[in-house]
Amino acid sequence: MFDAYSIGEVGRSLKVELCSIRSQKTSQDVLASCKEGHLLIFGRTASRFRFDFKHMRRNFERKPVVEMAIVETMQLLFCMSDQQLSVHQFDTDTMYPLIAQLKLKPIHTFAVHQNTDDASVKVAVAVKRRIHVFKFFQNDFVEVLLDGSPFLELKDNPANLTWCGLSLAYSLRNEYHDCKCTTRAVMSFLDTPIITYLEDRAMIGFAAGKNFVTVPVDAEAKTRKDVRFSEALLNLVWDPPFVVGLLPKGLVEIRTYDSPQLIQSFTLKQAHLLTNAVPGCVVVGSLCDIWMLDCHENLRNNVSSLIKDARYPLAIQLADQFAIFTDDQKKEIKRQYATYLFSTAEYDGCYAVFSDIGSDIGPAIQLIPELLPPKVQQLSPTPQKELPENEKKRAIQALSVYLAKVRTDLARSLEQHQQAKHMNVPEGRLSKEEHEAAKANLQIVDTTLLKCYIRTKPMMVDSLLRLRDNACWFPDAEDIIKKSGRNSSLFVLYETRRKHEMALELLKGESLRPDCDAYFAGPYKTVEYLQTLGNNEIDLIFKYSKWVLDADVEEGLAIFTSPDSDLASNLDREKVVDFLQKDCVAALIPYLEHIISAWGEQRPKFHECLAEHYVAKVKSLHKDYVHAFPDDETIIRAGTEDGELGEYRRKLLKFLENSRSYSPQTVLVQLSNQAFYEERALMLGRLGQHEQALTIYTSILHDYEAAEKYCALHYNQKTGPQIYLQLFEAFVSPKDPQIAGLSERQIPIPEPNVKQAIRILSRHADKIDTVAALRIIPDSTPLQLLSMAISAVIQATHDEATKSSIRRRMCECARAVTEEKLRKVAGLKVDVNNMTECALCNKKIGNSALVRDPQSQNLMHVFCYENSIEAATMQ
């Protein structure tokens, strides 16, 4: 007969305490526990215990219980007895009722694994050199295939089975195997290994001989770690951070795992069973006794002792493992550990610990006092020992790595806060206090990181300053960079903080130095910077563009005309023109040319300004040019002059021809009475004074082709045939050149050119009043000379008559067609009575105005018809 007992959770302490539970002698016991604090004890006899059990059930199984396992979240108890597996409800009130039994024998060992995805349990059983896997779901066993087979064939019965995540591990003789994908030997031992799963570390532990060996679950079994015990292991449990091993003759050894060392050892008489209880408690059983190894009661004293002995890693593990320490206490232990590592020159490890603590940056920076502001250094309670220069550099490098990580976290939290605030959602938002603290910490971190980079990584300084959310305290950052002599970084600081005048003053001062750095050489950096400013800083642009324009007009002009800067194109153009007129007239014409031709400026004030400066420039150059020629020199055409005069006259003529946004009268007045013949002709043409313009072309320039082009340009309905007639008269009866308003020099009236006049009549007989033209031809003109012109006039008259005849016939045909349609329509009879309906609205037409659709011949209201036509037009 077997008895089952459950005892309540015991007390907690850290130093191992032995709690003896004594019963009558039993030949075989089985122990199992769960995290909720329940301990199950199975034995052949159980009476006269020295304490009261909460529950006891007799006759739990008919045969001895060999092995058991608890799935506490699903309240299931798996029990192996008489080589058969049964499942009980883990319920003390109903005394563990049987809910299922696996019909498979003989079972040598089993292992269970809870699958949280579908609320099921995987069960692996070893039966006759085979491993079967089942899924226990809804109180039933469902077989699971292993690589397409219902079982895994072995060469012997496994000593034990263990689930390691989704992998199944087992020991076979002196070998360890797993069957996640395929069966394969991973490691061989002298003895049969004991397998345990270090779940929190995703490691598999093997106990064989004197060694406890661990390897990663998802890696090859090459990376291993050993914990060596004094004798061969009979059983072991993993109770972080300890590995508890049961050795021969009841010897129990407790050792640490991360840095293997013996913590405690003692002997428990005839102990042969070992299992976990709640974290920090391990249960040891013998034939007659059960002991609880508890490490909670003296936990604080033990941690203090470890700190005193500088065994910080173990102290931190214990503090993190159990809930009796507050978060502040845990952080303080880690701070002490970090300080200890710093004192032993383990700088990387020191700041790795600070990184684990979080954003508590003050103590981390205080370890290197010279990085603190001077006032804070004076308030430091415990001045640190001065480090050698090479050690100091290593420490600062480690600190910079730590601060860079802290900075990333702070910047991310602030960005998430801004996004959440913008989207008006609570996720990611910080409280007012948290937001202010994060901003203050980011300022401290960035300022300190700047000091670190200047000392150890100068190439990173500019990258740090250019960060969009850089929060360096400006006065400190400026002072730090100035002392380091890094003027390029100082400029980056001014630029990113939008200290425009400081940045521009620095650029100007450095570029004007004869021994300046290549970074500041020339006006190029100033030009680039000014191109990034807009109308809000236009006075600053004017102030610092002066020296650039003085040094290089072309470079200075780029400040206002850069095609790569939208800000430049949007500057107040009136203010720019006023500035250039006052401080750099040489740049005014190129600026006006750019905004008109490239940016399409159409306002008259800019066109007239450009025309004015073109004229002034041409007049200035023309004075020097005419002095080099004798008074009787033949007139030189505009644009053919050498040098700047020819260039600017060509520009002026092109501008006057193409632009329509200036006042011709104003330009004509500016030209005064000087001999700018082509320009005056263009302006006279714009003003409609064609006689004076044609006089310039025919009597002064003698450019008959240009005069003909002029007439073709201005020929329209308004001028009609008069403009060609005026040209004809200019050849037959030349006018005095003075009528063009010129007084610079006396120009004789040319002789009549009847031949050229007849040529005009011959070529443009269809555009000229031929009768008036023939009347003014001198009587002495030979008829032979007139023959070609008369033929052209006759032909033009014939062509016009033909066109008129064709037009008349087309009109007559159209009239006849229209009259025929009208006659047919007038002959149609339309019957309208009281029953006639509108084809569109289906209402009676009655006495309303009606219309008949010409296509469908349907009758409809006039209003309905017009609406339908309008709707069709809109579509």
Side-chain angles (χ1 to χ4, degrees), residues 42 57 59-71 75-90 96-105 107 110 112 121 123 125 136 139 141:
F42 290 84
R57 179 183 174 187
N59 301 323
F60 179 73
E61 293 283 357
R62 296 183 180 181
K63 295 294 180 71
V65 176
V66 178
E67 196 172 344
M68 63 183 175
I70 301 170
V71 182
Q75 295 294 296
L76 296 177
L77 170 62
F78 290 81
C79 179
M80 190 180 78
S81 175
D82 193 23
Q83 298 183 328
Q84 193 167 15
L85 183 65
S86 58
V87 186
H88 298 261
Q89 185 70 39
F90 188 67
Y96 313 106
L98 179 67
I99 58 176
Q101 195 169 38
L102 182 61
K103 298 178 181 180
L104 194 63
K105 290 181 68 174
I107 296 175
F110 76 96
V112 298
V121 177
V123 183
V125 296
F136 186 73
N139 297 338
F141 288 94

Side-chain angles (χ1 to χ4, degrees), residues 452-642:
C452 294
Y453 283 160
I454 284 180
R455 294 285 297 274
T456 61
K457 298 178 180 179
M459 298 300 294
M460 295 292 293
V461 171
D462 292 355
S463 299
L464 174 65
L465 295 173
R466 285 195 175 96
L467 289 176
R468 178 175 53 84
D469 54 355
N470 179 269
C472 287
W473 179 242
F474 179 77
D476 285 356
E478 183 183 31
D479 184 60
I480 293 165
I481 297 173
K482 282 183 176 179
K483 289 180 179 178
S484 68
R486 295 180 56 86
N487 286 331
S488 60
S489 299
L490 185 62
F491 168 72
V492 173
L493 175 67
Y494 292 152
E495 180 183 29
T496 55
R497 294 305 178 85
R498 302 189 66 79
K499 304 291 185 181
H500 301 308
E501 188 155 11
M502 291 182 176
L504 291 167
E505 193 63 38
L506 177 65
L507 289 173
K508 178 181 178 182
E510 288 297 312
S511 62
L512 295 179
R513 285 175 49 193
D515 58 341
C516 71
D517 187 89
Y519 183 86
F520 297 101
Y524 314 112
K525 294 294 292 185
T526 302
V527 172
E528 289 178 0
Y529 194 91
L530 290 173
Q531 287 171 349
T532 65
L533 305 182
N535 281 313
N536 293 336
E537 307 292 342
I538 195 165
D539 292 336
L540 207 60
I541 295 175
F542 294 156
K543 178 179 178 181
Y544 286 95
S545 61
K546 290 179 182 178
W547 78 267
V548 179
L549 289 165
D550 292 341
D552 190 329
V553 174
E554 186 175 351
E555 285 294 328
L557 187 63
I559 299 170
F560 308 101
T561 61
S562 172
D564 301 325
S565 173
D566 293 336
L567 293 173
S569 62
N570 292 321
L571 287 176
D572 189 323
R573 295 173 186 175
E574 292 185 25
K575 292 183 178 180
V576 175
V577 169
D578 292 342
F579 164 72
L580 294 178
Q581 282 181 324
K582 179 181 178 182
D583 291 283
C584 187
V585 179
L588 181 59
I589 290 178
Y591 175 74
L592 292 169
E593 288 175 342
H594 184 83
I595 66 173
I596 291 173
S597 61
W599 292 343
E601 177 60 65
Q602 295 298 323
R603 283 177 285 180
K605 64 179 69 177
F606 297 104
H607 286 252
E608 292 180 355
C609 183
L610 179 57
E612 177 186 354
H613 283 81
Y614 270 150
V615 171
K617 185 73 173 179
V618 168
K619 290 170 73 174
S620 174
L621 295 171
H622 188 264
K623 288 180 181 179
D624 298 332
Y625 188 83
V626 297
H627 290 164
F629 294 89
D631 295 338
D632 58 349
E633 181 68 36
T634 305
I635 296 173
I636 299 176
R637 299 299 305 274
T640 61
E641 300 93 343
D642 297 332

Side-chain angles (χ1 to χ4, degrees), residues 745-765:
R745 55 192 296 185
Q746 188 68 30
I747 300 176
I749 300 174
E751 296 294 327
N753 192 341
V754 178
K755 185 176 181 180
Q756 188 65 28
I758 293 175
R759 187 181 70 82
I760 294 297
L761 180 61
S762 302
R763 296 180 61 178
H764 304 285

Side-chain angles (χ1 to χ4, degrees), residues 20 25 140 208 223 264 302 366 379 405-406 428 465 476 537 595 628 655 673 723 730 791 820 869:
S20 176
K25 184 176 181 180
D140 193 14
T223 304
Q264 192 173 1
N302 287 341
Q366 288 175 0
L379 298 176
K405 182 179 182 301
V406 173
L465 295 173
D476 285 356
E537 307 292 342
I595 66 173
F655 172 75
N673 58 357
I723 192 166
S791 298
E820 179 65 20
I869 296 297

